[in-house]
Each structure stands twice: as structure tokens, then as C-alpha cells.
Amino acid sequence: MLCQRRTRVVLALCLLLVLWQCFRAPTDGLGPFPWAPSLFDTPAARCGASTNSSAWFSARYNMSVEPLLTGAAHELSSDVVQWWLTLQGPSSGGQLQAIIQQLFTVLRAPTSGMWDTSRCRTCAVVGNSGRLKGSGHGLRIDAHDWVLSTYMRVKQFIKADRNKVLILSPAFLKYIHDNWTQRHGRYPSTGFTALLFALHLCQQVSVFGFGADSEGNWHHYWEKNRWSGAFRRTRVHDADVEFSTIERLAAEGRILFYK
């Protein structure tokens, strides 16, 4: 799906998950869409509206958890390092910290401007489910400020503007694994991680392309075998837990979930 944006945020997994943030083309001429949710007509009012916090949500959401590595001096706790290294294979925490320090000799640390909450930031999280194919949600997705979406095989080298690369913290991934997926699966999926990232940074979150397709089959939209169900069989991620959590977030008004 091609989305022209003033701002595009792309999430990919490479050593650590990295977030690519680019400018999109202006869309001021699009105007309101008659079929779009009312939140696009009055985003400021939507952002200003208070949402009652349930016990379920409060037990999982922790505002103090930083989604990103903030610089070369960023220290990870020993339990985070141990969890991360169990996913990466034999290594040492010292090497991980050295890698983080080396990363920030190339990349700049995030600026405080990206955390500005004075405006309503609308974000679309686009999953890779077969449900996305032929959904017709392209213009709805384009109406958001940021879009998190991608499918890319992990590569050793990726060409990118280094000033527009952000690195997710392993601590944030462990927080999702502990608090949100309740340690089901080995680690959270990229799509679910993108959703939680948006929930922490955006005032409005719309979710597309998650779950089974219209015929009840689980597959990625690029797979030719519609009944492959590879996502559910591997159990690396727990699709059922993640999907039920997404539905609960939608039921509580935390996100808009397009099926």
C-alpha cells in the first residue's frame, strides 16, 4: 500500500527495531471524507476528550516507560539485558552496551520536539494481515499525521537518512512482553509493538490490517497460500492474545479498530 504523507513512520526489525520517520507530501487539498470518522473533522476536540481508565488498562499501561533509546549514555537494567540476550543468542551485556554507544556515534539522539503534546498527533498503525488486502482503507490511512507500516526482510545494511532513524529500546519491548502479552509467545510481534509505540506517542490511534481475513483465515497479505496461517503456527508471537488485546483497547475507546 502506497501512502503519500507529510510524515511517514516506518517500523522495521534490524538489530534493534528501528523507526524510520519521513516527511509526507501535503494533503491539505484532500478535504474531509464523508465516510471518515468524525475524529478527523475535530481532532483537537477528540484529543481533549478524557478517557476513563479501567483497572485492566491501568494494570498494563505505564507512561514512564521510554519507547526509544535516548543516546549513547542510555543504560539498560540487568533484567532487560538478560531478556534481550536470550532472544539474540550467546553474548554479553557489555557487548550490547558497546553496540548502543557505537550506534549513537552514527545516529543522533531523539530531540524533545518529537514528544510535543501541544498538538493532536493522529497515527495509523497498519498491520500485515490478509484482512488489509482489498480493504479500501488507503485514503483513511493517509488522513493521519503518522503511518507505521512495513514489511521488510531483516537486512545487514539498510540505506536511510540517519537523521530520521529512531531506535526502539529493548526495555520497551520487554515492557510489552511483560505487561501486554503477559509473556505469551517469545516476544511481541512487530505490528503489536508498533501499536503500543503509537499508544505511547499519539493522541489518536487508528488500527488497520490485524486479525483474520473476511473468511476467517490468518495469513500475511503477501502470502499466496491464503490458508497458510504461519503467524499462528510458529507461536513465536501469540496472535490470539495480541488480537484479543487489540479488541479490548478498541472496546475501551483507546484505539479505533478498522476490520
Side-chain angles (χ1 to χ4, degrees), residues 1-7 24 27 30-41 122-126 131-132 134-149 204-209 256-259:
M1 178 176 294
L2 299 176
C3 301
Q4 289 189 341
R5 316 282 305 142
R6 280 177 300 198
T7 306
R24 61 174 177 145
T27 56
L30 288 178
F33 308 116
W35 39 257
S38 60
L39 64 90
F40 293 132
D41 298 328
T122 62
C123 296
V125 181
V126 184
R131 170 178 284 182
L132 188 64
S135 65
H137 289 318
L139 291 178
R140 271 195 185 97
I141 292 169
D142 277 346
H144 295 75
D145 298 317
W146 283 13
V147 173
L148 292 84
S149 149
Q204 261 173 231
V205 179
S206 301
V207 177
F208 306 82
L256 287 172
F257 185 24
Y258 290 88
K259 299 183 178 181

Side-chain angles (χ1 to χ4, degrees), residues 75-231:
E75 290 288 339
L76 299 172
S77 64
S78 59
D79 63 321
V80 168
V81 171
Q82 183 179 2
W83 177 79
W84 180 255
L85 293 179
T86 61
L87 302 178
Q88 307 306 313
S91 188
S92 71
Q95 287 177 316
L96 178 58
Q97 203 63 49
I99 290 170
I100 292 174
Q101 292 176 354
Q102 186 177 3
L103 280 172
F104 286 102
T105 64
V106 179
L107 305 175
R108 68 176 185 178
T111 60
S112 58
M114 90 165 289
W115 313 109
D116 180 19
T117 58
S118 62
R119 61 180 292 272
C120 178
R121 181 184 292 120
T122 62
C123 296
V125 181
V126 184
N128 52 29
S129 162
R131 170 178 284 182
L132 188 64
K133 199 168 186 177
S135 65
H137 289 318
L139 291 178
R140 271 195 185 97
I141 292 169
D142 277 346
H144 295 75
D145 298 317
W146 283 13
V147 173
L148 292 84
S149 149
T150 186
Y151 170 67
M152 182 185 295
R153 294 188 180 278
V154 177
K155 298 179 180 180
Q156 185 176 5
F157 299 101
I158 297 176
K159 184 179 291 187
D161 182 344
R162 66 180 181 178
N163 293 322
K164 297 176 183 177
V165 175
L166 303 172
I167 305 173
L168 284 182
S169 170
F172 187 66
L173 298 177
K174 186 176 187 299
Y175 151 72
I176 297 172
H177 182 65
D178 291 344
N179 287 28
W180 290 95
T181 61
Q182 307 280 289
R183 300 185 179 91
H184 288 86
R186 291 191 64 219
Y187 53 89
S189 69
T190 304
F192 193 70
T193 299
L195 191 156
L196 265 295
F197 180 87
L199 203 62
H200 274 253
L201 260 68
C202 308
Q203 287 71 44
Q204 261 173 231
V205 179
S206 301
V207 177
F208 306 82
F210 283 77
D213 64 15
S214 58
E215 298 177 3
N217 302 311
W218 289 76
H219 64 99
H220 299 109
Y221 68 82
W222 64 84
E223 290 172 331
K224 294 183 180 180
N225 180 3
R226 294 170 59 83
W227 297 275
S228 59
F231 181 81

Side-chain angles (χ1 to χ4, degrees), residues 46 49-61 180 199 205 244-257:
R46 177 80 179 189
S50 60
T51 303
N52 293 328
S53 182
S54 69
W56 176 88
F57 184 81
S58 297
R60 287 159 176 76
Y61 186 83
W180 290 95
L199 203 62
V205 179
S244 65
T245 303
I246 292 170
E247 290 191 310
R248 181 67 180 267
L249 287 169
E252 295 198 0
R254 298 287 172 178
I255 62 173
L256 287 172
F257 185 24

